Amino acid sequence: MKIYEVPNRGEWAALVQRPASDLGKLEASVREVMDRVRREGDAALREYTARFDGVELEDFAVSADTVAAAEAAVPQDLKRAIGVAYRNIEKFHRSQQAVVEEVETMPGVRCWRESRGIDSVGLYIPGGTAPLFSTVLMLAVPAQLAGCREIVLCSPPDREGNIHPAILYAARLCGVTKIFRLGGSQAIAAMTYGTESVPQVYKLFGPGNAYVTVAKQLAQLQGLAIDMPAGPSEVLVCADAGAKDAHVAADLLSQAEHGHDSQVVLVTDSREKAGLVWQEVERQLAELPRRALAEQSIANSLAVVFPDWSDAAEYVNLYAPEHLILSMADARAFAVKIRNAGSIFLGYHTPESVGDYASGTNHTLPTYGYARQYSGVSLDSFVKKITFQELTADGLRNIGPAVETMAEAEQLRAHRNAVSLRLRDLPSE
């Protein structure tokens, strides 16, 4: 980890750069997968699953019996933990349900907005180096609350053709309607176009590797919505003198172990603090089962020293981290200055891990600086907002002349007529 002490503002742009990731070079191969799945359907899926996942499958759907049987394979303590997470996530996202409020913009003219769940959504759950059953909760719980009629889940099979039982258990708990043993860009293609077995969806959610990311970008070009642009996971930790070095190091490593292309950043107010935390990172790193991955991530990482915390806040806003941990005595006061972050973790007792699993907030968050313009996944991600308006006769009399004048000025005579004819047919007052 490189330490940069009081960098001038001209250096900041370089210090917010993530590890280079040239997704463009993958586009041609991903596009080929997408096109073949569109043309050949399940036949292409079988070939790609054999090639990329090392297993030959005739049927990709996971049966209801298999999903039910998965419960017995999940340890009781894990089921209890998943239950805690489910209840907290459900409670937090339920609180996001909007109350319909009718507004009378002028006498006799009433407007309001209502939410409708997206009919069909597709959730991609990586298998890879870790079974991300927690992501099932983060995506399927708000989909369930939103009233999405069809919730399709794709996750890559292992060498025996199975999906991890904890993923299946979480999916059943959250009301997922269809589960398929499909991974990679071919899974995204299947949900984008639909095949003989996999239904087409209207919006795609979920993290994945670079191939999945490119496939989601190409799906957008086909008219599908996606949750947000995604990149490798990241965390920025602001630590003052009161933060325990071991805690800060553990927070940094909790993201570093996600993958070789993750990035972690430490911001503090003294070089001594940065050095002590780095020593603790090296000590804990040696004990991690995923040490090899974390070491590569740490090589991409840095510490930045700002004696003035106001400068630190501006740097954080420029970096726009996915996860921002404020391990500080005055965390709430400092957080007021933050405009760009996916999710913020306040104080000495709030590790990022709680948001990853069970606090209730959503862990599907904008990475790679996209927190400057994107929010994380929420209940709103799974609904559309439909506006309504209703006029009484008096309302039409009140608003009609303004509409007639505007329509005439834009030379849209039929627009004017739609009002004028109604006004003419109203009974005289």
Side-chain angles (χ1 to χ4, degrees):
M1 179 183 286
K2 297 178 181 178
I3 300 176
Y4 298 86
E5 191 166 8
V6 200
N8 64 62
R9 288 181 182 260
E11 299 175 278
W12 287 16
L15 298 182
V16 300
Q17 294 301 310
R18 275 60 165 184
S21 179
D22 185 6
L23 298 180
K25 65 184 180 182
L26 302 179
E27 183 174 337
S29 60
V30 174
R31 189 181 294 276
E32 179 183 352
V33 171
M34 299 281 284
D35 288 344
R36 279 203 60 193
V37 171
R38 177 177 56 82
R39 295 192 312 267
E40 302 173 22
D42 284 356
L45 294 179
R46 292 187 187 97
E47 180 182 329
Y48 286 129
T49 300
R51 185 194 308 180
F52 298 135
D53 297 309
V55 59
E56 295 188 2
L57 298 176
E58 187 62 30
D59 183 13
F60 304 104
V62 179
S63 69
D65 289 343
T66 300
V67 175
E71 183 171 358
V74 180
Q76 286 297 324
D77 60 341
L78 179 54
K79 282 192 280 194
R80 285 193 292 271
I82 289 173
V84 170
Y86 175 85
R87 289 188 292 275
N88 289 347
I89 294 165
E90 196 273 346
K91 185 175 184 178
F92 181 69
H93 287 76
R94 184 177 292 279
S95 74
Q96 297 166 19
Q97 291 177 329
V99 176
V100 176
E101 182 178 357
E102 294 189 19
V103 177
E104 190 170 49
T105 56
M106 64 191 306
V109 179
R110 302 193 68 82
C111 302
W112 67 96
R113 192 169 72 154
E114 297 181 13
S115 297
R116 298 288 190 273
I118 297 171
D119 281 348
S120 180
V121 296
L123 317 182
Y124 184 78
I125 308 298
T129 58
L132 297 184
F133 57 85
S134 58
T135 302
V136 178
L137 301 175
M138 297 295 173
L139 299 178
V141 167
Q144 186 180 41
L145 287 171
C148 298
R149 294 182 176 184
E150 187 168 59
I151 306 173
V152 179
L153 185 152
C154 287
S155 191
D158 61 21
R159 295 285 177 169
E160 285 71 49
N162 300 316
I163 294 177
H164 195 283
I167 290 177
L168 299 180
Y169 174 73
R172 187 185 190 201
L173 183 66
C174 301
V176 171
T177 55
K178 294 179 180 177
I179 303 172
F180 296 94
R181 298 175 292 172
L182 286 168
S185 54
Q186 63 269 26
I188 301 301
M191 292 187 285
T192 298
Y193 301 114
T195 71
E196 298 92 325
S197 59
V198 182
Q200 183 184 41
V201 303
Y202 298 149
K203 189 171 183 178
L204 292 166
F205 294 83
N209 61 20
Y211 292 92
V212 169
T213 298
V214 173
K216 287 173 67 178
Q217 292 172 349
L218 293 176
Q220 278 189 294
L221 300 179
Q222 304 301 315
L224 264 72
I226 67 170
D227 44 8
M228 69 192 75
S233 191
E234 60 195 29
V235 68
L236 188 151
V237 182
C238 290
D240 66 11
K244 289 191 176 182
D245 300 332
H247 297 176
V248 176
D251 286 336
L252 293 168
L253 288 169
S254 71
Q255 287 305 297
E257 72 176 356
H258 266 298
H260 66 90
D261 49 1
S262 294
Q263 186 179 58
V264 300
V265 177
L266 171 65
V267 171
T268 187
D269 58 351
S270 78
R271 186 180 183 90
E272 179 186 10
K273 185 69 172 178
L276 291 171
V277 170
W278 172 236
Q279 291 176 22
E280 185 62 27
V281 166
E282 289 186 311
R283 188 191 69 76
Q284 293 185 28
L285 181 61
E287 301 171 356
L288 291 180
R290 294 166 66 90
R291 175 180 178 177
L293 284 175
E295 281 181 328
Q296 295 177 67
S297 175
I298 291 297
N300 297 325
S301 301
L302 63 148
V304 190
V305 178
F306 291 106
D308 187 335
W309 281 107
S310 294
D311 290 337
E314 287 306 306
Y315 173 78
V316 170
N317 283 321
L318 185 63
Y319 188 91
E322 176 191 18
H323 306 100
L324 173 61
I325 299 175
L326 302 182
S327 194
M328 310 165 69
D330 57 349
R332 283 199 176 224
F334 185 81
V336 172
K337 303 175 183 178
I338 302 304
R339 303 182 304 278
N340 303 324
S343 190
I344 300 178
F345 302 79
L346 298 165
Y348 299 134
H349 307 300
T350 316
E352 186 272 328
S353 305
V354 299
D356 266 355
Y357 290 110
S359 67
T361 63
N362 207 291
H363 78 200
T364 310
L365 302 166
T367 64
Y368 228 72
Y370 283 111
R372 300 184 195 106
Q373 61 267 70
Y374 282 90
S375 306
V377 164
S378 67
L379 185 63
D380 279 350
S381 305
F382 293 88
V383 301
K384 305 102 55 190
K385 306 283 189 176
I386 302 175
T387 57
F388 295 78
Q389 47 264 294
E390 183 179 41
L391 274 63
T392 63
D394 284 341
L396 185 60
R397 291 189 185 97
N398 289 331
I399 201 172
V403 175
E404 288 178 305
T405 300
M406 294 173 74
E408 187 67 30
E410 290 191 343
Q411 301 178 42
L412 296 174
R413 183 60 57 82
H415 279 64
R416 175 174 180 144
N417 289 344
V419 173
S420 301
L421 294 175
R422 284 179 168 82
L423 287 174
R424 188 186 66 191
D425 291 340
L426 287 176
S428 56
E429 295 181 281

